[in-house]
Amino acid sequence: MSETQPFDKISLLRQAFKGLSADELQEMATATQLCTYPPEHILCHEGAYEEVFYVIADGNAAVSKNISEQDGERILRVAGKGDLVGEMALIQNVPRSATVRTITDCTVLEMNKKDFETLLGRSPSMAINIIRTTLDRIRENDLMAIRVMQSTNKVLHHLDRNKMEFIQVAAHELRTPLTVLKGYVNVLNSFPEIKTNAALVEVMDGIIKGADRMHEVVNTMLDVTRIDSETLKIRPVPVPLKRIFNQLASDFTKAATERNIEIIIEQDEDTPGINADPTLIQKALYHLIINAIKYTPDGGKVILRSRSVTLENNTQGVEFSVTDTGIGLDAEHHELVFEKFYQVGDVAIHSSGKTSFKGGGPGLGLAIVRGVARAHGGKAWVESSGHNEVNFPGSTFYLQLPIDPPKTQPPTLTK
Ligand code: ATP
Ligand code: MG
Protein backbone atom coordinates (compact mmCIF):
# COMPACT_ATOMS: atom_id res chain seq x y z
CA MET A 1 0.00 0.00 0.00
CA SER A 2 1.29 3.49 -0.75
CA GLU A 3 -0.10 6.96 0.08
CA THR A 4 -0.73 8.86 -3.20
CA GLN A 5 -0.84 12.66 -3.19
CA PRO A 6 -1.98 15.11 -4.41
CA PHE A 7 -5.43 14.01 -5.57
CA ASP A 8 -8.75 15.83 -6.00
CA LYS A 9 -10.69 13.95 -3.34
CA ILE A 10 -13.61 16.40 -3.47
CA SER A 11 -14.46 15.82 -7.12
CA LEU A 12 -14.26 12.04 -6.65
CA LEU A 13 -16.54 12.15 -3.60
CA ARG A 14 -18.96 14.38 -5.52
CA GLN A 15 -19.12 11.71 -8.20
CA ALA A 16 -19.69 8.93 -5.64
CA PHE A 17 -22.22 10.79 -3.44
CA LYS A 18 -24.29 13.03 -5.65
CA GLY A 19 -26.07 15.89 -3.90
CA LEU A 20 -23.74 16.48 -0.92
CA SER A 21 -23.05 20.08 0.09
CA ALA A 22 -19.55 21.57 -0.24
CA ASP A 23 -19.12 21.43 3.56
CA GLU A 24 -20.16 17.80 3.73
CA LEU A 25 -17.83 16.88 0.89
CA GLN A 26 -14.97 18.69 2.63
CA GLU A 27 -15.70 16.93 5.91
CA MET A 28 -15.77 13.59 4.18
CA ALA A 29 -12.54 14.29 2.30
CA THR A 30 -10.78 15.06 5.57
CA ALA A 31 -11.87 11.70 7.01
CA THR A 32 -10.58 9.71 4.03
CA GLN A 33 -7.15 8.43 3.13
CA LEU A 34 -5.91 7.88 -0.40
CA CYS A 35 -4.08 4.57 -1.03
CA THR A 36 -2.84 2.63 -4.07
CA TYR A 37 -2.74 -1.17 -4.24
CA PRO A 38 -1.21 -3.54 -6.81
CA PRO A 39 -3.35 -6.03 -8.76
CA GLU A 40 -4.66 -9.06 -6.79
CA HIS A 41 -4.84 -7.15 -3.54
CA ILE A 42 -7.92 -8.08 -1.50
CA LEU A 43 -9.82 -5.02 -0.26
CA CYS A 44 -12.75 -6.96 1.27
CA HIS A 45 -12.79 -10.59 2.39
CA GLU A 46 -16.13 -12.38 2.03
CA GLY A 47 -17.41 -13.52 5.43
CA ALA A 48 -15.08 -11.24 7.46
CA TYR A 49 -16.07 -8.36 9.75
CA GLU A 50 -14.00 -5.44 8.46
CA GLU A 51 -13.92 -1.79 9.39
CA VAL A 52 -13.18 0.02 6.11
CA PHE A 53 -15.11 1.01 3.00
CA TYR A 54 -13.67 2.27 -0.25
CA VAL A 55 -14.39 4.67 -3.10
CA ILE A 56 -12.45 3.67 -6.22
CA ALA A 57 -10.43 6.62 -7.51
CA ASP A 58 -8.54 4.91 -10.31
CA GLY A 59 -8.25 1.37 -11.73
CA ASN A 60 -10.62 -1.57 -11.32
CA ALA A 61 -11.58 -4.13 -8.70
CA ALA A 62 -13.64 -7.31 -9.15
CA VAL A 63 -16.51 -8.02 -6.75
CA SER A 64 -16.93 -11.78 -6.49
CA LYS A 65 -18.94 -14.21 -4.43
CA ASN A 66 -18.40 -17.80 -3.47
CA ILE A 67 -21.44 -19.57 -4.96
CA SER A 68 -20.78 -23.10 -3.65
CA GLU A 69 -17.96 -25.58 -3.21
CA GLN A 70 -18.81 -27.08 -6.59
CA ASP A 71 -19.36 -23.85 -8.56
CA GLY A 72 -16.56 -21.88 -6.88
CA GLU A 73 -16.30 -18.10 -7.04
CA ARG A 74 -18.33 -15.99 -9.48
CA ILE A 75 -17.54 -12.38 -10.43
CA LEU A 76 -20.64 -10.27 -9.80
CA ARG A 77 -19.37 -6.99 -11.21
CA VAL A 78 -16.25 -4.96 -11.90
CA ALA A 79 -16.06 -1.72 -9.93
CA GLY A 80 -14.39 1.35 -11.46
CA LYS A 81 -13.82 5.04 -10.81
CA GLY A 82 -16.45 6.57 -8.48
CA ASP A 83 -17.86 3.19 -7.32
CA LEU A 84 -18.28 2.39 -3.63
CA VAL A 85 -17.26 -1.00 -2.31
CA GLY A 86 -17.69 -2.49 1.14
CA GLU A 87 -20.12 0.13 2.49
CA MET A 88 -23.12 -2.18 2.79
CA ALA A 89 -21.52 -4.46 5.38
CA LEU A 90 -20.53 -1.38 7.41
CA ILE A 91 -24.05 0.06 7.36
CA GLN A 92 -25.63 -3.27 8.29
CA ASN A 93 -22.94 -4.33 10.77
CA VAL A 94 -22.63 -7.75 9.17
CA PRO A 95 -19.76 -9.74 7.64
CA ARG A 96 -18.75 -8.91 4.08
CA SER A 97 -21.10 -10.52 1.55
CA ALA A 98 -18.51 -10.59 -1.23
CA THR A 99 -14.78 -10.44 -1.89
CA VAL A 100 -13.34 -7.35 -3.60
CA ARG A 101 -10.01 -7.89 -5.34
CA THR A 102 -8.06 -5.32 -7.35
CA ILE A 103 -7.50 -6.37 -10.96
CA THR A 104 -5.27 -3.46 -11.97
CA ASP A 105 -3.20 -1.00 -9.99
CA CYS A 106 -5.99 0.52 -7.99
CA THR A 107 -6.17 3.85 -6.13
CA VAL A 108 -8.90 4.09 -3.52
CA LEU A 109 -10.23 6.51 -0.93
CA GLU A 110 -10.56 4.65 2.35
CA MET A 111 -12.76 5.60 5.25
CA ASN A 112 -13.03 3.66 8.48
CA LYS A 113 -16.27 2.64 10.13
CA LYS A 114 -16.03 5.03 13.08
CA ASP A 115 -15.52 8.16 10.96
CA PHE A 116 -18.20 6.97 8.55
CA GLU A 117 -20.75 6.57 11.35
CA THR A 118 -19.86 9.94 12.90
CA LEU A 119 -20.42 11.63 9.54
CA LEU A 120 -23.70 9.82 8.93
CA GLY A 121 -24.94 10.76 12.41
CA ARG A 122 -24.08 14.44 11.86
CA SER A 123 -25.51 14.82 8.38
CA PRO A 124 -29.03 13.52 7.56
CA SER A 125 -28.62 14.59 3.92
CA MET A 126 -25.48 12.49 3.64
CA ALA A 127 -27.24 9.54 5.30
CA ILE A 128 -30.15 9.81 2.85
CA ASN A 129 -27.72 10.09 -0.02
CA ILE A 130 -25.89 6.98 1.00
CA ILE A 131 -29.16 5.10 1.44
CA ARG A 132 -30.13 6.16 -2.09
CA THR A 133 -26.79 5.04 -3.54
CA THR A 134 -27.02 1.76 -1.66
CA LEU A 135 -30.59 1.10 -2.84
CA ASP A 136 -29.51 1.76 -6.43
CA ARG A 137 -26.78 -0.81 -5.95
CA ILE A 138 -29.21 -3.36 -4.52
CA ARG A 139 -31.55 -2.82 -7.46
CA GLU A 140 -28.66 -3.21 -9.91
CA ASN A 141 -27.58 -6.42 -8.17
CA ASP A 142 -31.16 -7.73 -8.34
CA LEU A 143 -31.36 -7.03 -12.06
CA MET A 144 -28.04 -8.72 -12.59
CA ALA A 145 -29.13 -11.77 -10.57
CA ILE A 146 -32.36 -11.98 -12.61
CA ARG A 147 -30.38 -11.83 -15.85
CA VAL A 148 -28.05 -14.60 -14.66
CA MET A 149 -31.07 -16.70 -13.61
CA GLN A 150 -32.77 -16.15 -16.96
CA SER A 151 -29.74 -17.27 -18.91
CA THR A 152 -29.16 -20.26 -16.56
CA ASN A 153 -32.82 -21.23 -17.00
CA LYS A 154 -32.42 -21.11 -20.75
CA VAL A 155 -29.44 -23.47 -20.55
CA LEU A 156 -31.31 -25.82 -18.19
CA HIS A 157 -34.34 -25.83 -20.45
CA HIS A 158 -32.13 -26.69 -23.40
CA LEU A 159 -30.40 -29.52 -21.48
CA ASP A 160 -33.78 -30.86 -20.38
CA ARG A 161 -34.97 -30.89 -24.01
CA ASN A 162 -31.81 -32.79 -25.02
CA LYS A 163 -32.37 -35.29 -22.24
CA MET A 164 -35.99 -35.87 -23.26
CA GLU A 165 -35.00 -36.27 -26.92
CA PHE A 166 -32.41 -38.86 -25.92
CA ILE A 167 -34.99 -40.73 -23.82
CA GLN A 168 -37.46 -40.68 -26.68
CA VAL A 169 -34.92 -42.07 -29.16
CA ALA A 170 -33.65 -44.67 -26.66
CA ALA A 171 -37.19 -45.81 -25.80
CA HIS A 172 -38.15 -46.15 -29.49
CA GLU A 173 -34.95 -48.07 -30.27
CA LEU A 174 -35.53 -50.43 -27.34
CA ARG A 175 -39.19 -51.03 -28.08
CA THR A 176 -38.71 -52.56 -31.52
CA PRO A 177 -36.32 -55.42 -30.55
CA LEU A 178 -38.32 -55.93 -27.38
CA THR A 179 -41.50 -56.49 -29.37
CA VAL A 180 -39.65 -59.00 -31.57
CA LEU A 181 -38.30 -60.75 -28.47
CA LYS A 182 -41.74 -60.96 -26.88
CA GLY A 183 -43.18 -62.42 -30.08
CA TYR A 184 -40.56 -65.20 -30.21
CA VAL A 185 -40.95 -65.92 -26.50
CA ASN A 186 -44.70 -66.37 -26.98
CA VAL A 187 -44.09 -68.77 -29.88
CA LEU A 188 -41.55 -70.70 -27.80
CA ASN A 189 -43.96 -70.85 -24.90
CA SER A 190 -46.51 -72.72 -26.99
CA PHE A 191 -44.13 -75.64 -27.66
CA PRO A 192 -45.34 -78.87 -25.96
CA GLU A 193 -41.74 -79.63 -24.82
CA ILE A 194 -41.86 -76.49 -22.73
CA LYS A 195 -45.43 -76.81 -21.50
CA THR A 196 -44.71 -80.26 -20.05
CA ASN A 197 -41.44 -79.36 -18.34
CA ALA A 198 -42.03 -77.65 -14.95
CA ALA A 199 -38.50 -76.20 -14.80
CA LEU A 200 -38.81 -74.70 -18.30
CA VAL A 201 -42.28 -73.31 -17.50
CA GLU A 202 -40.73 -71.42 -14.59
CA VAL A 203 -37.88 -70.13 -16.78
CA MET A 204 -40.33 -69.02 -19.49
CA ASP A 205 -42.49 -67.34 -16.87
CA GLY A 206 -39.45 -65.36 -15.65
CA ILE A 207 -38.53 -64.31 -19.21
CA ILE A 208 -42.10 -63.23 -20.00
CA LYS A 209 -42.45 -61.24 -16.78
CA GLY A 210 -39.07 -59.55 -17.34
CA ALA A 211 -39.94 -58.67 -20.96
CA ASP A 212 -43.37 -57.33 -19.90
CA ARG A 213 -41.80 -55.16 -17.20
CA MET A 214 -39.21 -53.84 -19.66
CA HIS A 215 -42.00 -53.08 -22.13
CA GLU A 216 -43.87 -51.21 -19.43
CA VAL A 217 -40.80 -49.12 -18.49
CA VAL A 218 -40.14 -48.28 -22.15
CA ASN A 219 -43.80 -47.25 -22.59
CA THR A 220 -43.62 -45.09 -19.46
CA MET A 221 -40.53 -43.39 -20.93
CA LEU A 222 -42.47 -42.68 -24.14
CA ASP A 223 -45.49 -41.45 -22.15
CA VAL A 224 -43.36 -38.98 -20.23
CA THR A 225 -41.71 -37.59 -23.37
CA ARG A 226 -45.13 -37.14 -24.95
CA ILE A 227 -46.57 -35.47 -21.88
CA ASP A 228 -43.47 -33.34 -21.48
CA SER A 229 -43.31 -32.18 -25.08
CA GLU A 230 -45.94 -29.49 -24.42
CA THR A 231 -47.64 -30.70 -27.58
CA LEU A 232 -49.95 -33.03 -25.70
CA LYS A 233 -53.40 -32.52 -27.14
CA ILE A 234 -56.18 -34.20 -25.28
CA ARG A 235 -59.30 -35.53 -26.91
CA PRO A 236 -61.99 -35.13 -24.26
CA VAL A 237 -64.87 -37.59 -24.17
CA PRO A 238 -67.20 -38.51 -21.29
CA VAL A 239 -65.13 -40.63 -18.91
CA PRO A 240 -66.67 -43.57 -17.06
CA LEU A 241 -64.92 -42.79 -13.76
CA LYS A 242 -66.54 -45.57 -11.73
CA ARG A 243 -65.63 -48.13 -14.35
CA ILE A 244 -62.00 -46.95 -14.55
CA PHE A 245 -61.65 -47.02 -10.76
CA ASN A 246 -63.18 -50.47 -10.47
CA GLN A 247 -61.14 -51.78 -13.38
CA LEU A 248 -57.87 -50.51 -11.89
CA ALA A 249 -58.74 -51.89 -8.46
CA SER A 250 -59.42 -55.29 -9.98
CA ASP A 251 -56.20 -55.11 -12.11
CA PHE A 252 -54.25 -54.72 -8.89
CA THR A 253 -56.18 -57.30 -6.85
CA LYS A 254 -53.64 -60.07 -7.46
CA ALA A 255 -50.63 -57.91 -6.56
CA ALA A 256 -52.42 -56.45 -3.53
CA THR A 257 -53.52 -59.88 -2.28
CA GLU A 258 -49.97 -61.20 -2.59
CA ARG A 259 -48.85 -58.38 -0.31
CA ASN A 260 -51.93 -58.65 1.94
CA ILE A 261 -52.91 -55.06 1.08
CA GLU A 262 -56.60 -54.16 1.09
CA ILE A 263 -57.85 -51.88 -1.69
CA ILE A 264 -60.95 -49.92 -0.67
CA ILE A 265 -63.03 -47.82 -3.09
CA GLU A 266 -65.05 -44.90 -1.69
CA GLN A 267 -66.75 -42.96 -4.46
CA ASP A 268 -69.16 -40.22 -3.38
CA GLU A 269 -72.57 -40.69 -4.93
CA ASP A 270 -72.48 -37.16 -6.35
CA THR A 271 -69.08 -37.62 -8.04
CA PRO A 272 -69.75 -35.87 -11.37
CA GLY A 273 -68.92 -37.35 -14.75
CA ILE A 274 -66.11 -35.47 -16.53
CA ASN A 275 -64.98 -34.91 -20.06
CA ALA A 276 -61.37 -35.93 -20.37
CA ASP A 277 -58.95 -38.22 -22.15
CA PRO A 278 -59.80 -41.61 -20.60
CA THR A 279 -56.45 -43.21 -21.50
CA LEU A 280 -54.53 -40.44 -19.78
CA ILE A 281 -56.80 -40.43 -16.71
CA GLN A 282 -56.40 -44.18 -16.48
CA LYS A 283 -52.60 -43.82 -16.70
CA ALA A 284 -52.49 -41.16 -13.99
CA LEU A 285 -54.64 -43.20 -11.59
CA TYR A 286 -52.62 -46.31 -12.42
CA HIS A 287 -49.40 -44.59 -11.30
CA LEU A 288 -51.00 -43.28 -8.10
CA ILE A 289 -52.36 -46.71 -7.17
CA ILE A 290 -49.20 -48.63 -8.00
CA ASN A 291 -47.17 -46.17 -5.94
CA ALA A 292 -49.55 -46.53 -3.00
CA ILE A 293 -49.08 -50.32 -3.12
CA LYS A 294 -45.33 -50.06 -3.67
CA TYR A 295 -44.67 -47.73 -0.75
CA THR A 296 -46.99 -49.49 1.73
CA PRO A 297 -45.74 -52.48 3.75
CA ASP A 298 -47.54 -55.82 3.68
CA GLY A 299 -50.83 -55.79 5.57
CA GLY A 300 -51.63 -52.12 4.80
CA LYS A 301 -54.55 -50.35 3.14
CA VAL A 302 -55.00 -48.31 -0.03
CA ILE A 303 -58.13 -46.18 -0.27
CA LEU A 304 -59.32 -44.78 -3.61
CA ARG A 305 -61.75 -41.88 -3.31
CA SER A 306 -63.55 -39.58 -5.70
CA ARG A 307 -65.80 -36.64 -4.89
CA SER A 308 -67.23 -33.47 -6.33
CA VAL A 309 -65.28 -30.24 -5.59
CA THR A 310 -65.42 -26.54 -6.35
CA LEU A 311 -62.16 -25.61 -8.05
CA GLU A 312 -60.07 -22.46 -7.42
CA ASN A 313 -61.76 -20.69 -10.34
CA ASN A 314 -65.20 -21.47 -8.77
CA THR A 315 -66.14 -24.02 -11.41
CA GLN A 316 -67.13 -27.59 -10.58
CA GLY A 317 -64.67 -30.42 -10.80
CA VAL A 318 -63.78 -33.83 -9.50
CA GLU A 319 -61.12 -34.81 -7.00
CA PHE A 320 -59.50 -38.23 -6.93
CA SER A 321 -57.38 -39.20 -4.00
CA VAL A 322 -55.30 -42.24 -3.20
CA THR A 323 -54.51 -42.70 0.47
CA ASP A 324 -52.12 -45.34 1.75
CA THR A 325 -50.79 -46.53 5.08
CA GLY A 326 -47.23 -46.51 3.78
CA ILE A 327 -43.85 -45.00 4.52
CA GLY A 328 -45.00 -41.39 4.00
CA LEU A 329 -43.08 -38.52 2.45
CA ASP A 330 -41.18 -35.63 4.06
CA ALA A 331 -42.38 -32.12 3.15
CA GLU A 332 -39.10 -31.26 1.35
CA HIS A 333 -39.94 -33.90 -1.30
CA HIS A 334 -43.63 -33.02 -1.79
CA GLU A 335 -42.97 -30.92 -4.89
CA LEU A 336 -39.83 -32.64 -6.16
CA VAL A 337 -41.39 -36.11 -6.48
CA PHE A 338 -43.43 -34.74 -9.40
CA GLU A 339 -40.20 -34.00 -11.30
CA LYS A 340 -39.04 -36.51 -13.89
CA PHE A 341 -36.60 -39.14 -12.57
CA TYR A 342 -36.83 -37.85 -9.00
CA GLN A 343 -36.72 -40.54 -6.36
CA VAL A 344 -36.43 -40.24 -2.63
CA GLY A 345 -33.58 -42.08 -0.91
CA ASP A 346 -30.95 -44.34 -2.34
CA VAL A 347 -32.03 -45.80 -5.68
CA ALA A 348 -29.48 -48.60 -5.30
CA ILE A 349 -31.23 -50.12 -2.26
CA HIS A 350 -34.60 -50.47 -3.99
CA SER A 351 -35.90 -54.00 -4.28
CA SER A 352 -36.99 -55.14 -7.72
CA GLY A 353 -40.56 -55.85 -8.88
CA LYS A 354 -43.14 -53.28 -9.77
CA THR A 355 -45.47 -53.89 -6.81
CA SER A 356 -43.01 -55.25 -4.25
CA PHE A 357 -42.43 -53.10 -1.17
CA LYS A 358 -40.22 -50.13 -2.19
CA GLY A 359 -39.76 -51.75 -5.62
CA GLY A 360 -37.66 -49.71 -8.02
CA GLY A 361 -38.80 -47.67 -10.99
CA PRO A 362 -37.35 -44.92 -13.18
CA GLY A 363 -39.11 -42.15 -11.22
CA LEU A 364 -41.54 -41.13 -13.95
CA GLY A 365 -44.98 -42.08 -12.58
CA LEU A 366 -45.72 -38.84 -10.74
CA ALA A 367 -44.33 -36.69 -13.59
CA ILE A 368 -46.95 -38.38 -15.78
CA VAL A 369 -49.65 -37.73 -13.15
CA ARG A 370 -48.84 -34.02 -13.03
CA GLY A 371 -48.50 -33.80 -16.81
CA VAL A 372 -51.96 -35.35 -17.22
CA ALA A 373 -53.41 -32.98 -14.59
CA ARG A 374 -51.96 -29.92 -16.35
CA ALA A 375 -53.05 -31.05 -19.79
CA HIS A 376 -56.62 -31.12 -18.44
CA GLY A 377 -56.32 -27.76 -16.63
CA GLY A 378 -56.19 -29.48 -13.24
CA LYS A 379 -53.56 -30.09 -10.60
CA ALA A 380 -51.87 -32.86 -8.63
CA TRP A 381 -50.25 -32.74 -5.21
CA VAL A 382 -49.43 -34.82 -2.15
CA GLU A 383 -50.12 -34.50 1.57
CA SER A 384 -48.15 -36.49 4.11
CA SER A 385 -47.00 -35.76 7.64
CA GLY A 386 -43.55 -37.18 6.84
CA HIS A 387 -41.48 -40.26 6.18
CA ASN A 388 -41.43 -42.90 8.92
CA GLU A 389 -40.75 -46.59 8.42
CA VAL A 390 -41.71 -47.48 11.99
CA ASN A 391 -45.11 -45.78 12.38
CA PHE A 392 -46.01 -45.65 8.65
CA PRO A 393 -47.92 -42.32 8.61
CA GLY A 394 -49.00 -42.84 4.98
CA SER A 395 -49.61 -40.31 2.21
CA THR A 396 -52.55 -39.02 0.21
CA PHE A 397 -52.02 -38.09 -3.43
CA TYR A 398 -54.65 -35.85 -5.03
CA LEU A 399 -55.66 -35.33 -8.64
CA GLN A 400 -58.15 -32.53 -9.26
CA LEU A 401 -59.71 -32.06 -12.67
CA PRO A 402 -62.33 -29.72 -14.12
CA ILE A 403 -65.51 -31.22 -15.56
CA ASP A 404 -64.55 -29.79 -18.94
CA PRO A 405 -60.88 -29.28 -19.89
CA PRO A 406 -60.01 -25.77 -21.14
CA LYS A 407 -60.26 -25.24 -24.90
CA THR A 408 -56.72 -23.90 -25.09
CA GLN A 409 -53.69 -25.37 -23.36
CA PRO A 410 -53.65 -24.01 -19.77
CA PRO A 411 -50.73 -21.89 -18.58
CA THR A 412 -48.18 -23.59 -16.32
CA LEU A 413 -49.74 -24.14 -12.92
CA THR A 414 -47.98 -24.22 -9.61
CA LYS A 415 -49.03 -27.79 -8.85
P1 ATP B 1 -41.96 -45.23 -11.70
O1 ATP B 1 -43.26 -44.65 -11.27
O2 ATP B 1 -41.38 -44.50 -12.88
O3 ATP B 1 -41.99 -46.69 -11.87
P2 ATP B 1 -41.19 -44.35 -9.07
O4 ATP B 1 -42.41 -44.97 -8.47
O5 ATP B 1 -39.94 -44.39 -8.27
O6 ATP B 1 -40.88 -44.97 -10.51
P3 ATP B 1 -42.69 -41.87 -9.11
O7 ATP B 1 -43.98 -42.62 -9.19
O8 ATP B 1 -42.55 -40.65 -9.96
O9 ATP B 1 -41.45 -42.81 -9.43
O10 ATP B 1 -42.47 -41.47 -7.61
C1 ATP B 1 -41.32 -40.66 -7.28
C2 ATP B 1 -40.90 -40.95 -5.85
O11 ATP B 1 -41.91 -40.46 -4.95
C3 ATP B 1 -40.77 -42.42 -5.52
O12 ATP B 1 -39.49 -42.91 -5.88
C4 ATP B 1 -40.99 -42.42 -4.02
O13 ATP B 1 -39.79 -42.11 -3.35
C5 ATP B 1 -41.98 -41.27 -3.80
N1 ATP B 1 -43.37 -41.77 -3.67
C6 ATP B 1 -44.28 -41.88 -4.67
N2 ATP B 1 -45.45 -42.34 -4.20
C7 ATP B 1 -45.30 -42.51 -2.87
C8 ATP B 1 -46.15 -42.98 -1.80
N3 ATP B 1 -47.40 -43.34 -2.04
N4 ATP B 1 -45.62 -43.00 -0.54
C9 ATP B 1 -44.36 -42.62 -0.32
N5 ATP B 1 -43.49 -42.19 -1.27
C10 ATP B 1 -43.95 -42.14 -2.52
MG1 MG C 1 -44.26 -44.71 -9.51
Side-chain angles (χ1 to χ4, degrees), residues 170-207:
H172 270 299
E173 293 298 320
L174 285 172
R175 198 159 68 158
T176 314
L178 202 55
T179 309
V180 174
L181 193 77
K182 278 179 70 172
Y184 281 122
V185 168
N186 283 335
V187 172
L188 198 62
N189 206 23
S190 63
F191 277 47
E193 296 88 325
I194 293 200
K195 279 184 171 168
T196 51
N197 183 324
L200 286 182
V201 166
E202 204 175 315
V203 170
M204 286 308 292
D205 198 41
I207 295 175

Side-chain angles (χ1 to χ4, degrees), residues 287 290-291 294-295 365-366:
H287 284 290
I290 201 167
N291 278 354
K294 205 158 65 164
Y295 298 103
L366 292 176

Side-chain angles (χ1 to χ4, degrees), residues 291 294-295 324 328-329 337 342-344 361-366 395 397:
N291 278 354
K294 205 158 65 164
Y295 298 103
D324 60 53
L329 200 57
V337 286
Y342 188 86
Q343 301 189 15
V344 181
L364 295 174
L366 292 176
S395 318
F397 283 79

